[in-house]
Structure formats: structure tokens, C-alpha cells
Amino acid sequence: MVNDNRSTSGSSSPVFIKVNPQKLTSSEGAIKTARLRSNSIDYTERETSNRPSDDLTGTGNDKFQWDPTSWHTKPIVQDVVYSSMKGVEKALQKLEALPPLVSPYEINNLQEKLRDAALGKAFVLQGGDCAELFDYCSQERIESKMKILLQMSLVLIWGTKLPLVRIGRIAGQFAKPRSKLTEEVNGQVIPSFRGDNINGFDVSERTPDPSRLVSAYFHSAATLNYIRSSLSSGFADLHRPFDWSLSHVQSSAVKARYRTVVDAITEGLSFMKTVGADKSSTLESIDFYTSHEGLMLEFEQSLTRKLQDPRNGERKWYNTSAHFLWIGDRTRQVNGAHVEYFRGIMNPVGVKVGPSMTTDELVSILDVLDSDYVVGKVTLITRYGIGNISQILPTHIEAVKRTNHKVVWISDPCHGNTKSSTSGLKTRDFEDIMNELALALQIHKDNDSQLNGVHLELTGDAVTECIGGSAQLTHEDLEVRYDTVCDPRLSESQSLDVAFLIADWCTQGKMLSIAEHSLS
């Protein structure tokens, strides 16, 4: 602030008065969460002043009003304990003051599209990295992931004859649950790498650091900003699909098949131009949604805001960190902290369903997360493994059909098929992935149901992390470019293979093998 003081002689000299900017203050929720997440007290304690004590033994979800901190009173797994309570409070204080990353309007739009998917009127493609690194926030990496998802979209639209709902595992997929929270390195037991928003991959950075939560927000914001600016600038314009190079695709058969699909789409667009029907904005851009596993509840709590629902003006709780969030197979306990948090947000939500999920548990989770029976509110992301799907999926389908819940069924054929290679690296066999996906399609059909989408761990880079596919990668090839810091991902060529094989199912009623593609 400047105060203009004039002397008696008429001259003036500006006087600068220092004004202290308003400081951020912590909410009660941030303080409670900081106390809960730090080891300055026994972090296993749960504050129960707002809830009957017997509620900790059951779901009890109708006994009290939900708020973003309700999960505090529930048992939590995959916990993260920080050494500094003040550090956690400072990080959450900052997150609470930052603007939303996504809007209620966008979240509602995705809910409507998932409603269509649940009714068989749309197909969902969800894919991206197993765990994003902060270093992945670059133009090249973001574009490569968007490009492969858009290329797959063309193939799937052509094959399914349905609108595509595109959801990226991007702009927030910074944390991963781990089966072991410690590992041995050079004879020393250290914390496992659990994602960039918890600790660092380097062995010297394995101590959980709450400041990484704030870094996660800004890397998500930068990624979202570039995605939105790229799409608004014509990155996904179907009038020029050959802007998407296929030089990285090794298989000439797959490349030729993709070009056949693009030729068919281009021919259709040319006809539309001839008759003057090519002015739709949907041909020049697309809706693209972001998602991540909602593992770090302190982060999700801080970005949960009570905002106006554009449809009716009512104020409701929206998680503004992403359009879509899911609960992992390790954190989906019915009376646990994650299910408790997820039940209160307006966003569409997903649940990973593995072989250990009983039918009673599945129905109970749906009753908690979808108490109002909203079509498409819950997406069930099945991840059984090739050896379990035939036995378990039919029972899960029948259990859901006996309820009033109308869910989106998505197959995750990657997570249940992880194995060790001959060199000790984690890998996945493309044949196992495609066989589980083919069985999912067939089992749904046989049980008067419908598979509504696919969930894949993939990258737009030419990595060598999964064996098989059109590139015919072997165990010996894995070390050529094994870049993942967590789970093995499909390469760009293998990702296109998946899209083509799903298209085969839709157009021919079966999946052709890679060898059959070479002859087609």
C-alpha cells in the first residue's frame, strides 16, 4: 500500500507501508487428520466423539451425517505414518486453500456418460500408468499417453459402434498400495516405494514426506492444464487422424489394420463433409476425464468441497481432485476407512473386485456406495486372473443382478496376471491378458449381462515390460526397456493389439489371435 504524504513546501514523497498478507489457517479437519497421520500420538487411535462406540464394529453408515473426515473413525489399511504432525498440518492447510482441479459440471457429465455405459449405450476405455511419477509431467509423456488412448478410441468406436468414454489413469495416480510395506536393499530393510506423493523411488527418499502431497497437486494441475489446452487446440481432431504417427508400431499387420480403420473413419468424415454434416464440435475435440485410486484419504479429504450442483443449485460434496476415483482391492473393506470416505462424494466411483471378494461383500459394498440406486454410480473393475475368472465372475454377475443396483462392468485383465520372469522381473503375458478379457466378454454374454469397458495399465512408449503381443516380446527382451517403477505396463503396440481384439469380438463374435491378424 502507498500513502502519498505531502510536505509543507508542496513536494511529495511516497511512503510505503508494509501490510502483512493474510496467513492460511488450518481447519479442524486438517488438524485432526495431521494428528491421525503422524506418529506424535498413537495413530491407531480413532476419535469417536461424534459416533456411538458400537459403530466401529459394523458399517453403521446410516447412523450419522457424513463429512469428509468421517473416515477417521474407521479402521484403515495401507496406512501412512508421518514423523511430523506440523508438516502434515501445513500440507493439508495448503491443499484446502488451493482451487479445485475439476468442476462439478465435468463430474456430472461423466456420471451421465457412465449411466449410458451401464445401460449398454457406451463403452469405457480407462488406461494409463500403474503409478505416475512427478517426472512424467512433461509434454512428451503426456502426449504419448493421450495419443495411444485416442488411437485405441478410433479402433474401439469402429468395432463397438458405441460412443467412447475416455478416462485416463493420469493427473493424480501418484500412490500405489503395496503387498509389502518394506523391502530389503543391500541387506537393509527400508520402506517400499509407495508412489511419489508418499516417498521417493531413490532409496535415500523412502521416508514419507507430507510436502509431497502439495507437489502432487501441482503436478496434477500442470498435467490437466496441458491435456485441456491440447484438446482445445485440436489434438484430437478427427479431421486429421494421420497427425498421429504409427512409426513406433513394429508389426506391419497391426499398422495396416489400424490404417484400414482410419481409412474407414476418414471416408465417413468425407461423406459427412459432402452433405454438410461435419460441423459438429465432437469431431474436433473429445471429452477426456481423469482418474486415480483414492488411496491417500488425507489428500482426498482436503480437495473435497461442498459446491453447487449445476443441475439443481443444491450444495453437495464433490471430490475435486479427479473426475473418477476408485477403491483398490486391498482397501475395499466394507467397514473400512476408504469405503466410508467414498460413500459420501458425488463423483462416480469404482471398486476393484478381486478373487477374494465374496458375493455378500460385493452386495454390501454396493449398498453402502450406491444407497440411492443411481444408474452407473458404481463401476465394478474386475481383476481375477486367468485362473479364477471362469469360476468367480458368473457368481458376481448373478449377485448384482439380484439387487437394484445398475453398475458399470469393466474388465481389468492386467492386475490378476502379474508373474515373475525368468530374470526375476515382474511381467505379464499378453496371452493371459487377452484370454481373461475374452472370457469376461463371453461370461457376461452367457449370463445375460454386458461388459461395458476395459481398464488397462499402459503407456504410450515402446517399453518392454509385458511379454507377447504383436511385437512378440520374450523374457529376454524385458531388460531392453523396462522402465516401470511398480507394475509392468502394456506398450503402445500391445495396447493397440487390445483395441483390435476387442473390435474383433464386436464385429466377428470372437477374438482373433495375433497370428490370425497377420493373415487377415
Side-chain angles (χ1 to χ4, degrees), residues 49-62:
S49 58
N50 294 326
R51 176 185 298 209
S53 58
D54 64 348
D55 193 40
L56 291 174
T57 61
T59 57
N61 292 309
D62 57 346

Side-chain angles (χ1 to χ4, degrees), residues 381-422:
I381 309 169
T382 60
R383 42 147 298 174
Y384 303 113
I386 187 61
N388 299 308
I389 183 172
S390 296
Q391 178 183 359
I392 302 174
L393 178 56
T395 64
H396 283 167
I397 293 173
E398 290 305 312
V400 174
K401 285 170 66 175
R402 290 194 295 268
T403 72
N404 292 321
H405 302 286
K406 189 67 175 176
V407 304
V408 180
W409 286 99
I410 289 183
S411 173
D412 170 4
C414 293
H415 277 92
N417 292 304
T418 305
K419 60 181 69 174
S420 292
S421 70
T422 53

Side-chain angles (χ1 to χ4, degrees), residues 308-332:
Q308 190 175 71
D309 185 339
R311 296 168 297 189
N312 55 27
E314 295 180 11
R315 294 178 66 80
K316 300 176 182 177
W317 289 111
Y318 287 90
N319 181 307
T320 65
S321 71
H323 303 103
F324 178 91
L325 298 100
W326 74 86
I327 305 172
D329 193 46
R330 294 186 179 95
T331 55
R332 46 118 180 113

